Amino acid sequence: MKVTVLGASGRAGSEITKELASRGHQVTAIARKPEAIPAAEGVTPRQGDASDPAALAGLIAGSDAVISALHFDVSAASLLGALKQAGVPRLLVTGGAASLTLPDGSRVIDSPDFPEEWKVPAQGGIAFLEALKGETEVDWTFFSPAALIFEGPRTGAYRAGGDQLVVDANGDSKISFADYAIAMVDELEQHKHGNARFTAAY
């Protein structure tokens, strides 16, 4: 597939870009600093600012899908507008874990253990997901990571879930950026969660 990755120089974006390239996809990797994008066969780095919908539409035109690994300072409406203008049918989003639910039905963000300093950016992710839920023209997927996403090995192992936080036998929820990227590209290829959110953890 022809896939555009937004935020391709970041921790999630760079791993997703590498995973796509390793599977033979044709990748346009966009970042404000393209020199920071990992070089790989099949990857074309481009400089771009996703906050400008018209300019972004020109960069993503011809793509089969866009994967956004951006922070939530770019709104869902802006991003969706660029995809519609460019005629790109599919959007996959690196989401947040804060809106996932716990076994008692409460959200992760409402847990007393949730760090106060994370709440403002987490609310951005929650608002982004809510905006996507009203979208019918673009096929979207919001991929919430585990509670802890870290730089670690690529194991190829993960367990997928829906709206509830996935935890292990010890109650921990974690995944490496490399394995998160595997799950993201698996979703791109297998298309199991159209117009839906999913999550994954060990």
Side-chain angles (χ1 to χ4, degrees), residues 103-117:
D104 65 1
S106 65
R107 300 180 303 173
V108 170
I109 193 172
D110 298 322
S111 166
D113 298 328
F114 195 88
E116 192 66 33
E117 64 271 19

Side-chain angles (χ1 to χ4, degrees), residues 145-163:
L148 174 64
I149 184 167
F150 63 97
E151 293 182 21
R154 182 187 188 279
T155 71
Y158 67 87
R159 293 178 297 137
D163 289 318

Side-chain angles (χ1 to χ4, degrees), residues 72-74 109 118-130 142:
F72 295 115
D73 51 355
V74 177
I109 193 172
W118 293 1
K119 286 190 175 180
V120 171
Q123 289 287 0
I126 292 170
F128 198 104
L129 175 58
E130 288 305 310
F142 188 92

Side-chain angles (χ1 to χ4, degrees), residues 48-74:
D49 184 351
S51 63
D52 183 340
L56 181 59
L59 291 170
I60 65 177
S63 301
D64 297 307
V66 168
I67 298 177
S68 173
L70 299 169
H71 296 298
F72 295 115
D73 51 355
V74 177

